[in-house]
Every structure is written in C-alpha cells, then in structure tokens.
Amino acid sequence: MSVYNSLDSITEELHKCMKCGNCMAVCPIYKETRQEVGVARGKISLVEYLLSGEIEMTERLADRFSLCTTCMACNTNCPCGVQFDKIILAARAEAVRKKGLHPVKKIAFTALKMQRMFDFGMKTGSLFQGVALKHVPHKSDRIARMRFDIGIGTDKVFPMLASKTLRSEFPEVVKVKNPKMRVAFFTGCMINYFYTDIGKAVVEVLKENDIEVVIPKGQGCCGIPASVNGDVASASALAKRNLRAFEKLGADALVVACSSGGTAWKHVFGELLENDPEFKALADKWAGKSYDISEFLIHKVPFKKQGLGRVDRKVTYHDPCHLNRGQGINKEPREILKSIPGVTVIEMKEPGRCCGMAGSFSLVHPDLSVQISDRKTADIELTHTDTVATGCPACRLQLKSGAENAGIEEEVLHTIQILAESYRAGKKNEIRSL
Amino acid sequence: MLAREVLQELIQVLGAENVLTEQEDLLTYAYDATAAMKHHKPDVVVSPLSTEQVAEVVKIAVRHNIPIYPRGSGTNLSGGTIPTKGGIVLSMLNLNKILEIDQDNLTATVQPGVIIQALNDEVLKLGLLYPPDPGTVTTATMGGSLSECSGGLRGLKYGVTKHYIMGLQIVLANGEVIRWGGKTVKNVTGYDLVALFTGAEGTLGIVTEIIVKLIPSPEARKSILAVFDDVDKAGKAIASIIRNKIIPATLEIMDNVTIQTVEHFVHAGLPLDAEAVLLIEVDGYKEVVEREAVLVEQILKDEQAVEVKIAKDDKERDLLWLARRSALPALAQKRPTTVLEDATVPRSKIPDMLKAIRRIADKHNLNIATFGHAGDGNLHPTILTDERDQDEMKRVHLAVDEIFQTAISLGGTLSGEHGIGIAKMKYLDWEFGEAGVAALRRIKEALDPNYLLNPGKIVRRD
Ligand SMILES: Cc1cc2nc3c(=O)[nH]c(=O)nc-3n(C[C@H](O)[C@H](O)[C@H](O)COP(=O)(O)OP(=O)(O)OC[C@H]3O[C@@H](n4cnc5c(N)ncnc54)[C@H](O)[C@@H]3O)c2cc1C
Ligand code: SF4
Ligand code: SF4
C-alpha cells in the first residue's frame, strides 16, 4: 500500500511520533511563522484528528497541508524516526481525492498541462515573455521578473525560457568515438526549457568521459510537481510515459541533474505504479540504474582528472533537500568541486537548510518562500564567495532570485557546469601548449 | 466558544494576523509533548508582540472571565500547556528578542520566546555560558524552561534554571505589570517573587522579560565512561566521587535496558552485559580538568568498575555523549508510547531507587528503562508501552504510582525537572500533605483569585 493510494498506509508512521517537538529546531517554515501548524508535529496531529474522525478534510485543512516544503529536515532531526515526507504526501493525496487540486497549482502546475504551456511558450517565444516578464539585465544568467502579480508575487525572479529546448538541440543519440558506456539522460523540465546550459554541461562532461548519451525525445515531466501535491493520476501517467520512452531506447544507466528527477526515477515511479505489475517491474529495473550526475561521476564511472583546467572561483555549495536528505548525496558534489584546480570551497552555515523553493510551494506561499530564501541568501553572503554551486535547477532559480533581490554579485551554477568549465579550460591550455 | 466581541477585542489589540481562530490551527495547540494525555482545543490562539499587548490580553480575559494558557514551544512533559478548559492560548513565541548581553554584570536580558540555544549561541561568542541545558535546548523557550525550572545534564555542578534567574518582568492576573529582581547578585527587597515565579508553570503570572546570570564558559573538559557489573557498585562510585570533593559537571547513569537499546541504536561501544554505566564529565581550567580526570579514574577503579575509559579526543567524547543523548530517542523507537518520569531522590539513594524500579517493572510486567542524572539524583524511569493497549496502560498507571511512592519514601520528590502540570497534580498531597496543598492553593488564590492563569495545573480548584 503506497502513500499515494491511502491514508491508512501511514498509521504506523503517525504512531511513531511522540510529540517531542524536536522537528521545531529545523523546520524552515516554522522558523518563519512560529506557528505549530507549520511544523511536522502540528501537521501530524492534524492527520491524526482526520483519521480519528474528529475533523474532516476541508479546503482549509488542505491549505495547512500545503505548508511544507517537503525538505525532509524534520525526518533527519526526529528521534523517533518519523518519515514525515510519507505523511505529508499521503495527506496531500487524500486532500486531492476529497477536495481536488489547489487553484493556483491547478493553473500553473498541473503536471500534464505544464508541458503544453511551456511548449506553447517556446513557440510564441519572446511574445509571451515580453508580456509577462521583465528582463533583468545580468551578465551570466538569463532571468526576468514578473511584470505584474498573478498571485505569486513579483519578488520571484524567473529564468527566461531558452530560445530552443535542450532536447531539440541534440539528436536522440549523442555519439562518441569509443564509447565506454551508453547512458540515458533524463533532462527534466527546468533543464529542458530554462536552464539548457546545465543540460549542455551534462552532455559535455559525459562525452569528455567517452560516454554515449541517449536523450529520448519521448520523455516528459518527472511528475513530482504532481505527486507532491497529491495529483496521483497525472503523476502515474507521466511515470509510464517516461518509462516507455527510456525503455524504447535502452541504456546501461540513467543520469539526472535535478533532484526531483532523481527522486522520481529512484523512488516515486515504483511507488506510484505498485499496482501495475508490468510497469512496476520496469520502474524497479530503471530505479536500479538511475544516478544523480555527481553520484555517477564519483561512484559509477569515476570522472577523468587529467585535462581538468584551472577555474578561478570561490565556491560555496548549497545542498538541495531531495539530493542530500532524499538521496544521501552531499559528499559527491563537494568532491567534484574540490578536485577542480583553482576552485576553493567555503562552506556556508547550514548548507543543508531548505532554500524555500520546493516547486509549487513557492507559488502557493510566495511570501513565506521569499522569507526562507532571504535567510539562505544572508548565509551565502557571509561566505564572501563569488559562486554558489548546487545540484538542482530549482534551487538554482531560488538562490539566484534571492541573490538578485539582495543585490549581491553571486553566480549560481550547477556543479556540473563548473566541471564542464574546467574541462574546457583544460582544452584551451592544451591548444596553447601545442 | 468565545463571544464574537471577545475575538473582536483581541483582534483590535493584536491585529488579525496574530489571532488564530480556525479549528485547523486551534487543534495544533491542543497538546504538548506529554505522552498519553487527552487533548483539548482552545477557543483562540494569540501571539502578542509586546508586554503591553500581553497585559491587554489579560485584561480582556479578566473582563470576560476566560482562562489563559501561556505557551512557549509546548515541549513540557507534564501537560502544562494543554488548554483543558478551552479559552485563550497565549503563544509567547513572537516575543523572541535577546534584549541585552551585559558583559560587565554577566547578565543577559531576554524575552520569553527566545530559544535556549539561541541565547547560548550568542553568549558563547563572548566566551560566556548560560548553563541550564534540558534535552530540549534547541527547541524550548526561555519562558517555558523558566516556568518549569528546567534542569538538564549540568545540574550537579551548575545547578538548574532557578539558579540563573535574577530578574523578571511579569504581567499579573489582573493585567498589572511588575518588575522584580534585577542585575544585582544581592537583593533582599521584599519577598523573593523571582523565585516564586520560577517553576510556577504559568499559574501565577505571565513572564514577559527575564534577566539571567551568565558564567564564563569553561576552558576545558574531559569525559569518562565507567562500566559496572552491579548497580550497587555504581551507586557507591557516585557517592565516592562526591565524597572526594570532586564535583563533575555531569554524572549520568544508564541501566542495562537502556544500554542495550542505545548500543543497538548508535554503536558507541557500550558493553551489552553491563548492569550500569556511568558517564562523567569534568570541566574547568585545563590543569584542574587533567587532575580531576585522573582522580575520578582512580576512584572508579577503586570502586570496582570493570572498565574505565577516558575519551581521548573530541571524537570519542562526542560518541559517548551521543550515546547518552540517544537514550530517550532510542527507547522511544521501541514502542509507540513513551512515558517518561522524573522522580528524584537524594543521590545516595540511587541504587535503591534503581532496584525498586526494576521490581516494579517485573511486578507489573512492564518494560521500564532507567537513565538519568545520577549525580543529582534525578532519574528518568521510562516506560515503553502502547497507548492503544488499555490493559497495559492500567498497569502503567499503577507502576507510575508506585515509582512516586518509592521516591517520596526515599526522601525524594515527585518531579525533579518536568513539573507538576496536570500529570502529577493528584500526587501532591503524598509529598506535602493536605496542609501543604492548602498553602499552595492560598498562594495561587492570592495572585490569581479567579483561576484565569493556566487553570487545572498544579493547584486544583475545589
Ligand atoms: C525530548 C524531551 C527532553 C526533555 N529533557 C528535559 C531535561 O533534560 N530537563 C528538563 O528539565 N526538562 C526536559 N524536558 C521538558 C522541559 O520541561 C521542556 O522542554 C521545557 O522546559 C519547556 O519549554 P517550552 O518552551 O516548551 O515550554 P512549554 O511547554 O510551552 O510551557 C511550559 C510551562 O511554562 C508555561 N509558560 C511558558 N511560557 C511562559 C511565560 N512566558 N510565562 C509564564 N508561563 C509560561 C506554560 O504555561 C507551561 O506551564 C524535555 C522534554 C522533551 C520533550
Ligand atoms: S521530532 Fe519526530 S517525534 Fe518529535 S514531534 Fe517531530 S515528528 Fe514527532
Ligand atoms: S519537511 Fe521541511 S518544511 Fe516540511 S515539516 Fe518537515 S522540516 Fe518543515
């Protein structure tokens, strides 16, 4: 019984909670609001009342369940081992079964629609952007600000849609001379539509390591924005679509460069499709060979160290919640950064604290999201670095937005971009020394 | 349900954003960290931003005769914040500023919503320390821990919360604001209301500002682990350390059930067959610490510890204390409900108390693990059970009764640090007798004649 199908699946999880309140020490939402409903303990008790029949599922209750970035910080700090992420996902799925999707999310983030909207945006290109977004001139990042408030605030800085999607820029199979391996790349929406520079860096680094890259055209959204908000039907449909697309082309391994994509392939697809034997088997098979790009380059195919050129950057690394706590990946990106000549890594205070992006959370609770982000930005500022590296495009967006609002000069990049930069610098040197 | 006009008055004073009225919010203030307690939904939750606002809220409550339940982080273990009669929950969390750190007088002035660790983070930068350290330092508020007079691991050498409270600003039950005490070490002006309000659990007044004493942070520390094959020997060792005029900062004990559970949880290298381990930390100047550690080691050996280990470095030290800190969490994972008591006896009676608890556990066929602050006699017998099992819960209640009886008969007390609240109210006359309970009641009624402040806690209204 998965958390997506029934609220009963989490009764044992609920019973583990002893209401000690330790989760208060780490919850980014509670830190800002100081209201009990913000913290895991509060939402757990609400689910308990719901199960005991003391209250019913109402829109107001569903609203309370939206107050969570699913950052999993409470899981880590819980003495009783409560896996709160399971509880909140189950509660939200129940809310959607009973009350339907939150209106804001329905407009912007119903997963299936999202892709169509973006594809539409791509076609109409600058027209759409000109109307809604105001370009913010900046040296490295194509970002923009909302011209008017459509209910999600104008504080958030958005990346500009890329002029071409990542997937349209590459053939389905990117060949190399003597391939060591054939690896499929799941791009995810943000990298496909906005941060194509991250996707290009992934391909570049894989090629540099003699790996053939497969980028199935049939792939789509990972479905996490849907499953996290309880829209189980859309998420399952997307899971199947992606499994079909990758199965068709086949590969020795699959890599992702965003934390939702990794979570989806490693865990969520299998949970969503547990009642569909055929797809469940497929999901498990791919889960077993799915890697975050930094994990892949450290553990699966150790990346080539010769040819790394000098990159002069002072870097601080922000741990994406779903990469760090969700997949246990935090040493790998740091190891990559530290092996790049010229890069100094300076840790910020609490690098693992949520940046407040959390996908559609920032759309439903824009003010709270900005408050959480401001704390992060302040910590980054204290490191006196010039670059923030992270492992997820969604965090990159939030961190950039925070830096931009605070007026600090900080480039925000995916770890893999800095590695690609280093290989590039290495090549330049080679040519020079020829 | 509150009359509409009451809500309007509250909103007028506090602003709508600081007044919660929807049941989905109210229900999250219906409980605290106390196990196996009935929850009660308040009618409204308010979060004042100033002492004046607190006073206004109290005046509104007086006018309409509505109970007020002050609340910090709701981590107390005695049902102290449960709004048993509905009414107003007064959340102090927005009063969360450190107002001053005075390095000349070694004091800090804080609002009650400041988290203990937040204060310590600030004063540590100046080489200072606020010693009281309940297990909840990272979550509990200064106001809540003051009102419970929280203890913690450092009680033996450094005392407990009450030893660090120098002055208070208090909103009384009639809405008047008073200040008592201050930054002076000496102060005998009038009755010692600072002492009275410390540990009063919000039943006498609402604390809105606190002046605490700070001490220089110790320069060095050393941790020692001693393993015993017999509880009596561990008890003798505790007495012997103190008799030799060494006062460790911390002197903790874990019994066999705790050791086994903790070891499986953190793998700190605790021997599974030990009957008891003592965990000791000495601190102070480097030279003193070196000398005391050697002395303690010798005493432990003389008292027939089967093994004595001094932590070589920070890593080893952290592992030892991780084991101690994991006691409650590790135990809590074994069964769904964890009933944690804090019966306390003179330290010389620790072996008697440990053995009595073991007998009680056997008699009622319960799983009880005991650990705690052996150095100050404060034990935490922890009953691992399941709230849903009614038969077992009956036995749990009987066992708790007997634990308290034993503690009192050994010259101890019902509660060392968790407070009375609702949970231990019915036992008070065992310790005080009827005359004592009546004296408590007269104090309550002198300061809060209408039982508006945290009613149903400590003192029962007849
Ligand atoms: C896991 C765990 C470990 C613990 N370990 C220890 C320990 O080692 N030592 C120890 O002593 N205790 C311990 N405790 C209990 C301890 O009492 C609380 O953690 C702490 O003291 C309460 O702080 P709080 O802010 O949560 O207060 P709350 O629980 O919110 O309130 C406690 C009481 O104070 C009153 N109150 C709160 N603020 C005010 C105010 N401003 N004015 C007047 N009254 C007020 C409330 O009405 C209530 O009666 C532990 C608790 C847990 C859950
Ligand atoms: S830390 Fe864990 S056990 Fe404690 S209140 Fe939070 S979820 Fe419950
Ligand atoms: S997952 Fe993060 S945001 Fe959600 S309750 Fe836990 S700590 Fe708070």
Side-chain angles (χ1 to χ4, degrees), chain B residues 302-354:
Chain B
D302 292 348
E303 297 295 340
Q304 298 168 32
V306 268
E307 193 193 334
V308 182
K309 210 164 83 187
I310 299 189
K312 280 195 299 291
D313 47 30
D314 277 355
K315 217 174 112 197
E316 279 193 19
R317 174 185 181 274
D318 290 348
L319 191 61
L320 285 185
W321 291 107
L322 176 68
R324 167 60 186 87
R325 272 198 311 274
S326 305
L328 182 57
L331 292 168
Q333 294 208 9
K334 288 194 89 172
R335 299 284 305 278
T337 309
T338 312
V339 177
L340 176 71
E341 290 305 342
D342 68 327
T344 301
V345 294
R347 70 172 76 91
S348 59
K349 299 287 192 223
I350 289 270
D352 296 337
M353 190 66 197
L354 283 173

Side-chain angles (χ1 to χ4, degrees), chain B residues 89-280:
Chain B
V89 163
L90 186 69
S91 168
M92 305 304 285
L93 293 174
N94 283 345
L95 284 165
N96 62 347
K97 295 201 181 47
I98 298 173
L99 301 172
E100 184 198 44
I101 297 172
D102 181 339
Q103 284 181 267
D104 297 332
N105 290 305
L106 289 183
T107 62
T109 306
V110 300
Q111 292 187 320
V114 169
I115 305 298
I116 305 172
Q117 188 65 45
L119 172 63
N120 256 327
D121 287 346
E122 283 311 306
V123 299
L124 200 64
K125 291 179 191 161
L126 306 168
L128 298 172
L129 179 72
Y130 172 72
D133 61 341
T136 42
V137 269
T138 58
T139 53
T141 63
M142 291 297 290
S145 57
L146 161 116
S147 301
E148 297 289 354
C149 187
S150 295
L153 295 183
R154 292 195 271 244
L156 174 58
K157 178 169 176 182
Y158 294 105
V160 297
T161 302
K162 67 180 170 193
H163 300 114
Y164 293 87
I165 307 299
M166 300 179 71
L168 295 175
Q169 182 184 58
I170 304 157
V171 177
L172 296 172
N174 59 8
E176 282 170 11
V177 182
I178 59 168
R179 275 184 180 279
W180 224 265
K183 288 185 181 179
T184 62
V185 173
K186 296 177 179 175
N187 180 331
V188 293
T189 311
Y191 297 138
D192 190 353
L193 293 197
V194 173
L196 179 63
F197 279 86
T198 303
E201 301 184 23
T203 61
L204 301 179
I206 295 154
V207 174
T208 50
E209 216 175 281
I210 309 166
I211 301 175
V212 299
K213 177 168 100 177
L214 304 172
I215 62 165
S217 180
E219 179 186 74
R221 52 196 182 182
K222 246 190 162 83
S223 299
I224 302 147
L225 171 81
V227 180
F228 290 89
D229 55 8
D230 176 14
V231 175
D232 274 321
K233 288 181 191 161
K236 285 216 189 80
I238 296 168
S240 181
I241 292 171
I242 309 284
R243 212 179 312 111
N244 280 285
K245 308 197 174 48
I246 298 170
I247 307 291
T250 303
L251 206 178
E252 299 287 301
I253 192 165
M254 292 195 267
D255 76 350
N256 177 268
V257 184
T258 312
I259 294 168
Q260 298 216 10
T261 315
V262 167
E263 187 51 30
H264 286 302
F265 195 65
V266 293
H267 309 291
L270 303 177
L272 291 173
D273 54 350
E275 277 306 308
V277 298
L278 295 182
L279 262 168
I280 301 155

Side-chain angles (χ1 to χ4, degrees), chain A residues 247 280-290:
Chain A
E247 187 60 20
K280 167 80 171 126
L282 214 51
D284 288 346
K285 176 177 128 189
W286 282 92
K289 53 180 176 179
S290 292

Side-chain angles (χ1 to χ4, degrees), chain B residues 396-414:
Chain B
V396 169
H397 292 304
L398 288 174
V400 169
D401 288 357
E402 287 172 31
I403 289 173
F404 288 149
Q405 262 158 2
T406 315
I408 292 173
S409 71
L410 290 171
T413 181
L414 291 170

